[in-house]
Amino acid sequence: MRPRLLFLLALAAAPSAWAQPPGPEPLPPPDAAPRALPRSELRVDLGALSGGYTYGGGAWMDPLASQAASGHLLLGGFTVDAGVLSLVPLQRRGPGASLTLTARAGYTGERWSLVGGPVLNLAYTARPALQVLPSVKALYRVGPVDLHAGVLDLHGLVPAHVGASWNGLGLAYVLPLGARAWAHIPLSSALGLRVEGFAFRLGSAQSAMLTVGLSALPSPSTSAQP
């Protein structure tokens, strides 16, 4: 009896000898690493586009209403970027309605992102009715500043641009002669109001656009996406 009693007393007096030391904290999954872009984003924009040509001492412009939706999704580092744009003429004489689809894919790292793919434009009154052009968009983060560059970005409407954004405000130079600007105004941790516009001239062609829309994020992000 006595040996058993002594064993029970020793067991009660030294519980720490049986306690397991805390193990190391579990490592986050690979896709939880910080990225230059939020994991996913969805945008819906409404606005107006004006495009036309200059000739001699004058010019003519055609106004169109624009409706667009775009977004991206990160699967680890693999990035899928897509968009759809509908243009409807606001006057009888001029170009007809058109539909543009963008499908790009690439990779997003901790400081940079690069996506590329085709832009398909279907214009009912154009010849040919279907045009397919390449589109590329890149981002590189330097501290709180994002550097942007793209070719046929924004549904294929902007020929080429280079610029930067900070704290929700962005400004870019559009080649060969033009500018692009955007502002993201947070409404909540996952919803923001976005205002964007551009104007440029390419040879005898010129174009200008202004849109207002909503941007939805699954988690808070301060990055201003072009």
Side-chain angles (χ1 to χ4, degrees):
M1 239 355 242
R2 180 172 295 181
R4 182 179 298 180
L5 179 61
L6 293 176
F7 174 75
L8 293 176
L9 290 175
L11 182 64
S16 60
W18 297 89
Q20 296 294 330
E25 295 184 359
L27 295 176
D31 59 352
R35 300 288 179 180
L37 295 178
R39 185 181 302 275
S40 62
E41 179 185 15
L42 177 63
R43 285 176 48 194
V44 178
D45 301 289
L46 297 175
L49 171 70
S50 178
Y53 295 90
T54 59
Y55 58 93
W60 60 268
M61 302 289 287
D62 291 311
L64 302 101
S66 68
Q67 307 85 38
S70 61
H72 72 258
L73 176 65
L74 270 61
L75 305 172
F78 179 71
T79 308
V80 179
D81 184 282
V84 57
L85 169 70
S86 173
L87 295 176
V88 179
L90 297 178
Q91 60 184 18
R92 293 183 179 180
R93 296 182 179 180
S98 67
L99 183 68
T100 302
L101 302 175
T102 303
R104 297 181 293 199
Y107 187 83
T108 297
E110 181 179 353
R111 293 180 176 270
W112 60 275
S113 177
L114 178 65
V115 294
V119 174
L120 294 81
N121 178 256
L122 178 63
Y124 306 113
T125 59
R127 294 295 180 270
L130 177 64
Q131 290 184 336
V132 181
L133 298 171
S135 175
V136 178
K137 181 172 67 175
L139 177 147
Y140 186 78
R141 177 160 294 170
V142 183
V145 178
D146 289 348
L147 305 179
H148 306 278
V151 177
L152 289 179
D153 194 17
L154 195 63
H155 308 285
L157 296 175
V158 178
H161 81 274
V162 289
S165 64
W166 172 79
N167 199 28
L169 301 176
L171 182 63
Y173 165 61
V174 178
L175 284 69
L177 182 61
R180 178 183 178 186
W182 60 93
H184 179 84
I185 305 171
L187 301 178
S188 68
S189 61
L191 192 66
L193 179 67
R194 182 183 176 92
V195 181
E196 181 168 3
F198 69 80
F200 69 88
R201 182 171 179 177
L202 179 61
S204 61
Q206 55 187 6
S207 182
M209 186 177 188
L210 179 64
T211 62
V212 178
L214 291 176
S215 175
L217 302 172
S219 59
S221 175
T222 58
S223 174
Q225 306 303 324

